[in-house]
Amino acid sequence: MSPSHRPTRRSLAGAALGLAVGLTACTGPRAEPPERPAPRVEVTQESLRGGETHAEREGPAPTWSVRADRLDQPMTQVGQVIVVPDRRELRAVDRHTGHDRWRRPFPMSYQYAVAGALIVVSARNGGPLEVLDAATGATRWRATDTEDVVVHQQAVHHRQCVGTGRSAKCVLIARDVGDGRQLWKLSTDRHARVSDEALGNRNPHATPARRYVAARLNVGTYTAVVSTTGRSGAELPSRAWYGFVAGDLLVSTDHDPPRGDSQCTVSIATVDAATGAKGWSGAVFSGRRENGECAKRLAHHRSGLFLIGSGTRLVAVSAAGRPQLIDLRTGKVQWQGAAAGVPIDGDARSVLVRRTADAGELALLDMTTGATRWSAPDPGMSGTSANWPSTVTGRLAVVGGATDGRAAVLVYDVSTGRELGRYPGSLAGAGDDWVAVRTTGGPDGGTLDLHVF
């Protein structure tokens, strides 16, 4: 069980929805602060509601528009379809026309994850799961009585228990994502789960295939488990926050600074996932919010990321308050940014930085060198607002903001920083060359506009 001070675990972007009952059993074929200015007034969802559609639109007109009830998870592209996780159904629309390819009603709360050309839909609070072909919506396989479903590219992991409370008998199961066949099963306690925390992986896409997965087989320990066989490898004490595999390392982090620490310290420990040989252990820093409090997270919680980076390289903040890239294998700093700032988003090539974790101007840094590619003015909305989103794709950097007190989505060119579009509404999803914006539309839901750049 996670300690109470750990941040609420997102469920594949924050909110999740649950799968219809009645699915059949499995079938085959996460120093003191500087003086701060007075806090600004936060723009809330309530203050924006009803006025967002009157803001002036700048940028390409929508390629298509569709109706949507409510989206609690991000849209994403899989092949030639864009997945729309509406409140009561999952549907896929044609990337070019917006026409429905397929619809699957799920009247209960559900969450979804993409693994290659497949979509795994599961009940958040336990129950059935279903694996669909993204192009057609056809069911590949189903399973019942699943808990804490976590999807990696090669496998679907879940817990299954008989009984309740301390007397429950539980197993942790891995199934092939393609056909549902059982890969392995381990006897565990009722809190066991495979970690969905990963370095540089963006929800709702599943973590890439690796030799090991990190699993919490009991409350106090992370274990490296061979992804194909379930054989246990190295162990690390759980440090209350994240446990994940990076390259050949099992990594555990603690983002709560020690008593008396004023530097927003994030403590890190690593071991060789196969042998348990002690690796680098040390500290990075999380940066601060506008009010001077430690951000603690190393990526903005509405970015779809747990941690920014790739391979064994982690983006964090230095003791001097600058963005930095550090190699978890050696602890060596690869680069530090030229100016102070807090990383909030990024991908394998770019790091999006803000002056503080929730306010201020933006800058985009090169992931390899740390050089500043471009900067942009403060988009105008607090990062603590429910309306603040962000995402960085191969060609676009997208953030939420406000224009004259109304919600807006700002789109920048990754290469140049040129503002490509400014749209009234909230960010619903983004791809390499597209952004989906949702505007409210009364009791019948809202409208999704797809803009292509």
Side-chain angles (χ1 to χ4, degrees):
M1 178 178 297
S2 300
S4 60
H5 59 270
R6 176 172 176 168
T8 302
R9 178 179 297 276
R10 69 164 169 82
S11 80
L12 297 174
L17 306 172
L19 210 16
V21 295
L23 298 179
T24 60
C26 175
T27 59
R30 94 212 283 229
E32 293 295 320
E35 184 175 341
R36 302 285 172 177
R40 66 188 68 194
V41 176
E42 179 181 334
V43 181
T44 65
Q45 179 67 46
E46 288 70 29
S47 67
L48 296 169
R49 187 174 291 121
E52 62 186 21
T53 57
H54 301 294
E56 184 176 354
R57 185 185 72 206
E58 301 174 11
T63 299
W64 47 257
S65 299
V66 298
R67 298 291 293 176
D69 183 8
R70 187 180 74 188
L71 303 183
D72 293 321
Q73 303 172 78
M75 297 165 55
T76 195
Q77 183 170 345
V78 187
Q80 294 304 307
V81 302
I82 291 179
V83 183
V84 182
D86 217 333
R87 177 170 57 176
R88 294 186 177 89
E89 67 178 3
L90 186 70
R91 75 181 195 263
V93 301
D94 186 274
R95 158 72 169 79
H96 301 289
T97 67
H99 296 159
D100 282 351
R101 291 282 192 92
W102 52 265
R103 289 177 177 246
R104 295 297 298 269
F106 294 116
M108 296 171 63
S109 179
Y110 72 88
Q111 61 190 19
Y112 87 103
V114 175
L118 300 175
I119 299 174
V120 181
V121 192
S122 60
R124 179 186 185 188
N125 296 319
L129 71 81
E130 189 164 356
V131 179
L132 311 176
D133 183 280
T136 66
T139 298
R140 288 288 190 91
W141 57 273
R142 302 182 175 104
T144 57
D145 300 326
T146 64
E147 300 178 17
D148 272 332
V149 174
V150 173
V151 184
H152 289 226
Q153 287 287 346
Q154 77 275 26
V156 177
H157 308 90
H158 67 89
R159 187 177 63 249
Q160 195 170 62
C161 294
V162 176
T164 60
R166 295 182 180 275
S167 63
K169 303 297 183 183
C170 301
V171 292
L172 193 62
I173 298 173
R175 301 187 186 279
D176 185 276
V177 72
D179 58 21
R181 62 189 171 86
Q182 183 175 297
L183 300 175
W184 48 263
K185 179 169 65 175
L186 299 175
S187 295
T188 59
D189 66 23
R190 60 194 177 95
H191 304 298
R193 73 190 309 273
V194 167
S195 173
D196 58 352
E197 299 144 6
L199 177 60
N201 190 69
R202 189 182 302 275
N203 164 73
H205 291 271
T207 304
R210 295 188 174 96
R211 182 182 178 190
Y212 290 92
V213 297
R216 183 174 279 177
L217 302 182
N218 55 62
V219 173
T221 306
Y222 285 111
T223 302
V225 176
V226 178
S227 57
T228 54
T229 66
R231 181 174 60 83
S232 295
E235 294 184 347
L236 265 178
S238 168
R239 296 158 66 85
W241 278 67
Y242 301 153
F244 58 97
V245 172
D248 56 358
L249 301 174
L250 176 64
V251 186
S252 178
T253 70
D254 185 354
H255 302 223
D256 290 310
R259 184 182 299 275
D261 182 286
S262 60
Q263 292 187 294
C264 302
T265 298
V266 174
S267 302
I268 299 175
T270 72
V271 296
D272 184 282
T275 67
K278 186 176 180 180
W280 174 76
S281 292
V284 295
F285 306 90
S286 68
R288 298 183 186 275
R289 300 189 180 96
E290 186 73 355
N291 63 6
E293 294 180 353
C294 293
K296 295 190 178 182
R297 297 177 186 266
L298 298 182
H300 195 277
H301 72 283
R302 288 180 60 84
S303 68
L305 298 166
F306 279 104
L307 301 152
I308 305 169
S310 64
T312 60
R313 301 177 306 159
L314 170 70
V315 176
V317 178
S318 71
R322 298 181 181 182
Q324 68 172 351
L325 183 71
I326 190 166
D327 190 334
L328 294 173
R329 185 176 285 110
T330 63
K332 183 178 179 180
V333 175
Q334 308 295 296
W335 53 255
Q336 283 192 19
V342 179
I344 60 172
D345 208 318
D347 63 6
R349 297 188 298 173
S350 308
V351 182
L352 185 65
V353 173
R354 205 173 186 189
R355 178 171 52 81
T356 69
D358 56 2
E361 59 276 7
L362 302 170
L364 194 79
L365 310 187
D366 183 272
M367 175 67 82
T368 302
T369 66
T372 301
R373 291 183 186 164
W374 51 262
S375 58
D378 186 345
M381 181 177 289
S382 169
T384 61
S385 169
N387 291 286
W388 172 270
S390 65
T391 190
V392 176
T393 70
R395 296 173 56 185
L396 306 175
V398 190
V399 299
T403 302
D404 298 327
R406 300 181 177 92
V409 175
L410 283 65
V411 185
Y412 302 93
D413 183 282
V414 158
S415 298
T416 66
R418 183 168 65 92
E419 188 175 302
L420 301 176
R422 181 183 294 252
Y423 301 99
S426 56
L427 179 64
D432 188 56
D433 64 346
W434 60 268
V435 172
V437 178
R438 183 178 184 273
T439 55
T440 58
D444 295 329
T447 300
L448 290 172
D449 295 330
L450 188 98
H451 303 273
V452 178
F453 300 88

